Amino acid sequence: MAPEVRRETTVDWPALRRAADEVATRAHAPYSGLRVGAAALCDDGAQIAACNVENASFGLTLCAECGLVSTLVAGGHGRLVAVSVTAGDGAPLAPCGRCRQVLMEHGGPGLLLDAGEGREPVTLAAMLPGAFDADELVARRPST
Ligand code: THU
C-alpha cells in the first residue's frame, strides 16, 4: 500500500468546493447535461481543478477526476492531498468507481474527499476498500 498522506495539512474545503463549482461551468457535457468539477490541494501546496469532457462516442468521456490527475502529473504537483468533486452546486458528488481507482494511484488511501459543508471529510480508503495497487503487481509478478 502507498504511504498515508500527512494528516496535519490544513485544507480550505470551502475554497476547494468553490474551485470545483467554478470549473464545472466550463464542462463539455452536451449529452448528459451533468457538469462536473473536481478541485484538489496537492502536496506542493498548489490548488488545481478540472472538468468533465464528454464525447459523441459516449464511452470516450473523460470524467473531471481524470482531467484533475492529468493536470497534477503534467504540472509536477506531486501527490493529491484533498479533493472536492461537485456538480456545480456546492454539494459533493461521489466519484465513480473508475475515478476512485485513478485517484488512489495519486493520493493513496489517506487522500481526503469532501463530504460536504459541516461534515468530516472521508478517506479514499473508506470509499475504495481493498483497492488494487502497484504492490499487487509486484507480489504477483511471475518468476522467470
Ligand atoms: N462524471 C464525472 O466527471 N465524474 C464522476 O466521478 C462521475 C461522472 C461525469 C461523466 C459524464 O460526463 C457525466 O458525469 C455523467 O456521467
Side-chain angles (χ1 to χ4, degrees):
M1 276 285 175
E4 292 274 320
V5 293
R6 294 189 311 277
R7 291 299 190 72
E8 66 268 19
T9 313
T10 307
V11 180
D12 185 347
W13 289 105
L16 275 189
R17 225 168 276 142
R18 276 196 306 276
D21 280 351
E22 208 173 286
V23 75
T25 65
R26 292 195 284 278
H28 177 69
Y31 309 108
S32 76
L34 185 64
R35 296 173 165 274
V36 181
L41 171 67
C42 310
D43 73 358
D44 70 348
Q47 185 180 291
I48 57 172
C51 56
N52 56 330
V53 180
E54 296 185 347
N55 192 281
S57 178
F58 297 164
L60 301 184
T61 288
L62 304 173
C63 283
E65 297 91 323
C66 290
L68 188 75
V69 165
S70 183
T71 302
L72 173 86
V73 173
H77 296 299
R79 306 270 296 162
L80 296 168
V81 173
V83 171
S84 180
V85 184
T86 75
D89 56 1
L93 178 141
C96 74
R98 178 177 185 272
C99 287
R100 293 178 197 198
Q101 179 73 27
V102 170
L103 292 172
M104 183 64 82
E105 179 95 9
H106 298 276
L111 174 62
L112 296 174
L113 285 153
D114 190 12
E117 185 58 41
R119 292 184 160 197
E120 280 300 302
V122 293
T123 63
L124 186 55
M127 300 196 76
L128 188 63
F132 179 84
D133 64 15
D135 291 348
E136 204 69 32
L137 284 179
V138 174
R140 308 212 176 215
R141 187 167 290 151
S143 50
T144 49

